[in-house]
Amino acid sequence: MRIAIAGDLHGLWDAVDERILERLAPDVVLVVGDLGEGEDRMSRMVARLPHPVACVLGNHDAARDVRGEVLRRQLTLLGDVHCGWGLRRLDPPGLAVVGGRPASSGGGYVLSAAVRSVWGPVPLETSITRITTAASSVSAQDSLVLLAHVGPTGLGSAAQDLCGRDWRRPARDWGDLDLAAAIARIRRWRPIPLVVFGHMHHRLRGGGQRRSFLLDRHNTAYLNAAVVPRHGRDDHGRPLRHFAMVHLAGNQLLWAAHCWFDREATLRWQECLYRASGA
């Protein structure tokens, strides 16, 4: 199963991205949130993709509207594509995507005013239960991916770690506590091959690069796809587009990489993050 992952878009999505996906023809497209600052255009473009697609909204998608009206509109435009706190079955190709807490900004367990306006004052335990319940109906033989805007706690507390806070000192683990607890519970009855998220940009404040991949002792892979900006240019000034690419077979990750493609979907640069033995 070939999965294309679009990190934090922040308004950078256009017809070129759509053409690249058309030519790559992935089995699944995952979008980790922060589509923009609440622009309807971005949600419409994601919702109309002619691929099996799943998305979780990020904190920027609320556009600082504390009443939650912008967030509600994005949810309406995305429809079933949005899987925050829920399950999205993509069949074909036969993938279950369970969404983490929507519109998260990390930091343990904090609900923004917009989230409280839309979903109410959801307690931590309720959030954990929603994620685990969504996963409970997925057969252990089926592929499962957890999709969130912010990754779980427990992946490191340094600024360069996958969910490390780099914009304020001291650095600390800025992941989502509810997602980490849900992962621990889901593991009691089934494997989790892949957790995908964004939010913490790869380029660190003050310089340096964030780690974007980790494989834990349970063979769960964690992938931070937030290359920002995801539109760039090569040394010759030619436009490039970033997608993280993953190959998954059942509950086993085979390969993962950061890839930059030109307008014709030709791979121009690749950072291999993982390759299974024999893959």
Side-chain angles (χ1 to χ4, degrees):
M1 189 181 304
R2 299 170 62 248
I3 303 174
I5 305 163
D8 296 29
L9 305 184
H10 289 294
L12 296 182
W13 186 273
D14 56 22
V16 174
D17 293 287
E18 293 180 351
R19 183 167 66 246
I20 290 171
L21 283 179
E22 179 183 1
R23 296 186 177 183
L24 291 177
D27 298 302
V28 172
V29 177
L30 302 179
V31 185
V32 304
D34 278 1
L35 310 184
E37 296 294 331
E39 303 99 318
D40 292 357
R41 176 183 68 90
M42 298 301 298
S43 293
R44 287 194 178 102
M45 293 181 78
V46 170
R48 77 184 185 199
L49 286 172
H51 310 273
V53 57
C55 172
V56 171
L57 288 173
N59 56 303
H60 279 264
D61 295 307
R64 299 185 180 182
D65 171 28
V66 297
R67 297 171 299 176
E69 293 178 2
V70 172
L71 197 53
R72 287 189 185 91
R73 191 166 67 246
Q74 305 313 307
L75 291 168
T76 299
L77 291 170
L78 288 168
D80 292 341
V81 166
H82 188 264
C83 63
W85 270 329
L87 169 65
R88 177 151 173 80
R89 293 186 182 275
L90 301 175
D91 192 15
L95 178 69
V97 182
V98 169
R101 172 164 42 100
S104 171
S105 56
Y109 189 75
V110 179
L111 300 182
S112 69
V115 170
R116 292 195 304 271
S117 295
V118 174
W119 285 281
V122 180
L124 171 62
E125 183 59 33
T126 300
S127 180
I128 298 169
T129 299
R130 287 180 180 180
I131 300 169
T132 54
T133 299
S136 66
S137 62
V138 180
S139 167
Q141 286 71 44
D142 293 336
S143 298
L144 172 67
V145 171
L146 299 189
L147 177 64
H149 182 58
V150 179
T153 56
L155 302 183
S157 57
Q160 66 269 27
D161 286 326
L162 279 74
C163 297
R165 183 178 70 182
D166 64 302
W167 58 91
R168 187 188 308 164
R169 294 183 178 179
R172 53 163 288 193
D173 186 342
W174 203 250
D176 277 354
L177 184 61
D178 49 340
L179 183 59
I183 289 170
R185 294 184 189 181
I186 294 168
R187 278 207 186 108
R188 295 173 185 173
W189 73 83
R190 62 152 302 130
I192 305 171
L194 181 63
V195 182
V196 176
F197 51 92
H199 185 60
M200 275 63 130
H201 300 175
H202 290 189
R203 189 177 300 168
L204 299 178
R205 300 280 180 93
Q209 193 78 2
R210 182 180 304 281
R211 300 187 187 103
S212 60
F213 182 86
L214 184 147
L215 186 69
D216 71 11
R217 62 187 179 89
H218 302 281
N219 286 322
T220 296
Y222 301 86
L223 175 57
N224 180 334
V227 171
V228 179
R230 56 175 302 275
H231 286 183
R233 294 183 179 274
D234 65 14
D235 294 339
H236 302 285
R238 294 173 296 198
L240 297 175
R241 300 290 192 268
H242 171 268
F243 287 94
M245 303 295 295
V246 167
H247 293 173
L248 195 65
N251 287 306
Q252 181 183 6
L253 179 70
L254 300 180
W255 175 82
H258 291 300
C259 299
W260 289 89
F261 300 95
D262 66 15
R263 289 176 175 269
E264 306 307 318
T266 301
L267 179 64
R268 294 298 181 184
W269 184 83
Q270 174 180 294
E271 177 190 358
C272 184
L273 302 171
Y274 176 79
R275 187 182 299 276
S277 177

